[in-house]
Amino acid sequence: MASEPPLVLAFDTSISMEATDVTPSRIVAAREAAHRFIEVVPAGVRVGLVAFDQTARVIIPPTTAKVVLDRAIDRLSLGEVTAIGE
């Protein structure tokens, strides 16, 4: 049986994620949604974490270690610029 391809969570870590148009803020809502997603990912499915603001960065390569992903999501910090088009 072939292994499943990994999933990748991509997080916008630009300063705009401080906005409160989503309660309490965009970044908090995104973190909570990511944590809920990780809870329901079937065992054995690899999930990676990428953050982007001025540049894109691999934070966690695809892994089955849900605790590692949860911790990394909580440690994401915001950058000043978004350059998605670049």
Side-chain angles (χ1 to χ4, degrees):
M1 175 183 241
S3 67
E4 294 292 324
L7 302 173
V8 176
L9 292 174
F11 259 81
D12 179 349
T13 52
S14 66
I15 203 74
S16 66
M17 292 297 283
E18 287 183 338
T20 57
D21 56 335
V22 177
T23 305
S25 69
R26 292 177 184 176
I27 190 67
V28 171
R31 282 184 176 130
E32 289 172 355
H35 289 306
R36 286 191 307 271
F37 172 77
I38 290 167
E39 285 178 12
V40 300
V41 169
V45 173
R46 295 174 296 137
V47 179
L49 178 63
V50 171
F52 63 93
D53 42 60
Q54 188 169 4
T55 61
R57 299 167 310 285
V58 174
I59 306 300
I60 301 292
T63 182
T64 57
K66 294 180 178 188
V67 171
V68 171
L69 287 163
D70 280 326
R71 288 179 183 159
I73 290 165
D74 288 337
R75 288 191 310 263
L76 291 172
S77 59
L78 301 181
E80 292 293 322
V81 180
T82 303
I84 295 173
E86 296 176 12

